């Protein structure tokens, strides 16, 4: 947490209700996202008789479904309240994790991933919105940033502990990863049920206000969406920053989710070790995510995102040369680079959004673009693996990333972006800096790192701030 500025009152401890909200949020975030099957789902589906084309076809459908579900779930959250949305998402996630147990077939896994897309979309942002509104209602806003960061850290720590156990548990009960995931989701439902109803300063409850506001927002939904699209079209800087983030999101998701097991199996690393490798990657990502200040101050944030994206691409290409231990080390380096890149990229996008723009809707647009590209990438992954061309896939992914970032840098240095940033109402660069992102935004220090005020900037911009699921 940041130190108080001169003249500011010292931060006070959270109230009893705020502590309850924070603790239940920890439990919900940890259990909802604890997917025991993540390290082994590829091998599990292969054992069930699915081909590479079917497996990655399902992944492509999943990303497309997530895009589609992202559109109406914000409206749903505003109509029924964030707390009820969390409950609905937990119920859907519990059922989703049981689908492969009931039917370990193409249909069963397709239903499984479609339901996961629906469940995650329902809670995407709703948990952060509830936490932010709850702490604000208790006048404990200053604890929001720490609560969000601790919830993420606890969730990653739980994965580090649990994922190495997946292999041994599968020898006892083959369906154990999915049963345990369903049990974890059911635990998140218990946390959501125990969440207190939010009080409002003006009387009534947050959920009542949300439902009342939902009727108004329902009529304005298309207008808000149109406003967001016009904002992107009129702000080349915002569009460029979003496009730059596509490389990070696509490479990280495709490698850590879709290619993780094929890479390990291709290098002779057995299924029983996959949970341990993923746990090591999670530790690397968690440490890097918590320490963006380790990045040198000599480069602006936008340059760091480009360099880290190139590092991700280079790491993928290097995996074609190494043996088993080298590949594990490269995967951990990949995860660390991802951990550094995500918070920097997220802040760049938030800083690029004009003050009066519909922030939550714009973040949803970014999420939709990211997952749409992932859907196309998943189809390509299935085609490459079906043809036995894993090494070619890794090299082509690296080259495509280099081309994308090269085009980004050319546009960035053309001079057109700077003028459009000023025209869009986005702060210009500090005097004496050559990069338009070098200026610290409100809530950041001179290096662009979060100082604590960012919680109010990003949390208050809309009812459903985007989460990183």
């Amino acid at each position: 947490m940041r130190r108080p500025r001169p003249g500011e009152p010292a931060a006070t401890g959270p109230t009893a209700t705020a502590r309850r909200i924070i603790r239940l949020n920890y439990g919900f975030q940890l259990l909802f996202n604890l997917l025991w099957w993540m390290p082994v789902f590829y091998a599990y589906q292969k054992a069930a008789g699915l081909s590479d084309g079917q497996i990655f076809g399902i992944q492509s459908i999943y990303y497309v479904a997530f895009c589609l579900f992202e559109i109406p779930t914000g409206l749903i959250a505003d109509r029924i309240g964030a707390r009820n949305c969390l409950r609905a998402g937990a119920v859907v996630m519990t059922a989703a994790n049981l689908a492969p147990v009931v039917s370990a077939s193409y249909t069963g896994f397709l239903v499984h991933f479609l339901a996961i897309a629906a469940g995650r979309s329902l809670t995407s942002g709703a948990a952060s919105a509830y936490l932010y509104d709850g702490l604000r209602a208790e006048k404990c806003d200053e604890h929001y940033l720490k609560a969000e960061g601790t919830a993420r850290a606890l969730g990653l720590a739980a994965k580090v502990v649990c994922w190495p156990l997946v292999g041994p548990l599968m020898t006892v009960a083959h369906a154990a990863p999915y049963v345990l995931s369903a049990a974890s989701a059911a635990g998140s439902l218990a946390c959501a049920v125990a969440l207190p109803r939010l009080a409002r300063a003006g009387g009534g409850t947050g959920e009542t206000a949300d439902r009342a506001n939902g009727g108004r927002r329902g009529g304005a939904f298309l207008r808000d969406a149109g406003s967001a699209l016009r904002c992107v079209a009129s702000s080349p800087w915002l569009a460029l920053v979003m496009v730059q983030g596509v490389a990070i999101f696509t490479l990280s998701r495709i490698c850590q989710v879709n290619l993780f097991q094929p890479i390990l199996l291709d290098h002779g690393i057995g299924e029983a070790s996959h949970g341990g490798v993923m746990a090591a990657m999670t530790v690397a990502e968690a440490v890097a995510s918590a320490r963006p200040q380790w990045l040198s101050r000599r480069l602006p944030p936008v340059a760091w995102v480009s360099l880290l994206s190139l590092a991700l691409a280079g790491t993928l290409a290097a995996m074609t040369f190494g043996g088993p231990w080298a590949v594990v080390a490269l995967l951990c380096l990949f995860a660390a680079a991802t951990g550094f890149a995500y918070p920097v990229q997220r802040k760049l996008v938030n800083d690029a959004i004009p003050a009066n723009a519909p922030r939550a809707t714009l973040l949803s647009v970014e999420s939709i673009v990211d997952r749409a590209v992932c859907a196309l990438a998943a189809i390509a992954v299935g085609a490459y693996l079906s043809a036995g061309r894993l090494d070619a896939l890794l090299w082509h992914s690296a080259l495509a990333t280099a081309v994308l970032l090269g085009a980004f840098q050319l546009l960035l240095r053309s001079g057109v972006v700077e003028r459009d940033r000023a025209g869009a109402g986005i702060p210009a660069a500090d005097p004496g800096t050559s990069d338009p992102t070098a200026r610290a935004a409100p809530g950041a220090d001179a290096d662009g790192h979060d100082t604590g005020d960012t919680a109010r900037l990003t949390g208050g911009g809309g009812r459903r701030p985007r989460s990183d699921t």
Side-chain angles (χ1 to χ4, degrees), residues 219-356:
F221 180 70
L222 292 178
R223 185 170 66 252
D224 289 346
S227 175
L229 293 176
R230 287 192 297 273
C231 182
V232 174
S234 63
S235 175
W237 173 245
L238 175 59
L240 282 175
V241 171
M242 286 184 173
V243 169
Q244 181 182 226
V246 168
I248 295 174
F249 187 86
T250 303
L251 287 176
S252 63
R253 292 293 297 178
I254 293 298
C255 177
Q256 293 177 307
V257 177
N258 302 114
L259 287 179
F260 168 73
Q261 292 172 79
I263 289 173
L264 293 183
L265 293 172
D266 186 66
H267 286 83
I269 300 174
E271 180 181 327
S273 302
H274 291 188
V277 176
M278 184 162 280
M281 292 173 63
T282 304
V283 170
E285 183 175 353
V287 171
S289 294
R291 295 293 184 271
Q293 64 269 26
W294 286 354
L295 299 176
S296 171
R297 300 179 179 185
R298 295 180 181 179
L299 292 177
V302 69
W304 270 119
V305 172
S306 293
L307 286 177
L308 289 168
S309 299
L310 289 174
L312 295 179
T315 304
L316 285 180
M319 291 179 195
T320 61
F321 299 109
W325 286 106
V327 165
V328 171
L330 288 169
L331 284 171
C332 289
L333 287 174
F334 184 97
T338 301
F340 280 127
Y342 263 126
V344 179
Q345 170 64 18
R346 188 174 299 115
K347 187 167 188 345
L348 276 173
V349 173
N350 272 291
D351 290 347
I353 296 175
N356 296 323

Side-chain angles (χ1 to χ4, degrees), residues 55-92:
I55 292 171
F56 292 103
I58 290 174
Q59 290 295 296
S60 180
I61 294 171
Y62 164 77
Y63 288 121
V64 172
F66 206 121
C67 292
L68 296 176
F69 291 147
E70 273 285 312
I71 296 172
T73 49
L75 180 59
I76 293 173
D78 281 329
R79 284 182 177 274
I80 70 175
R83 185 176 67 155
N84 289 329
C85 207
L86 295 178
R87 294 171 178 176
V91 170
V92 173

Side-chain angles (χ1 to χ4, degrees), residues 41 124 131 153 323 329 386 400 441 451:
F41 81 94
S124 172
L131 177 65
S386 296
T451 62

Side-chain angles (χ1 to χ4, degrees), residues 77 210 287 324 403 418:
D210 280 348
V287 171
V403 170
E418 178 74 15

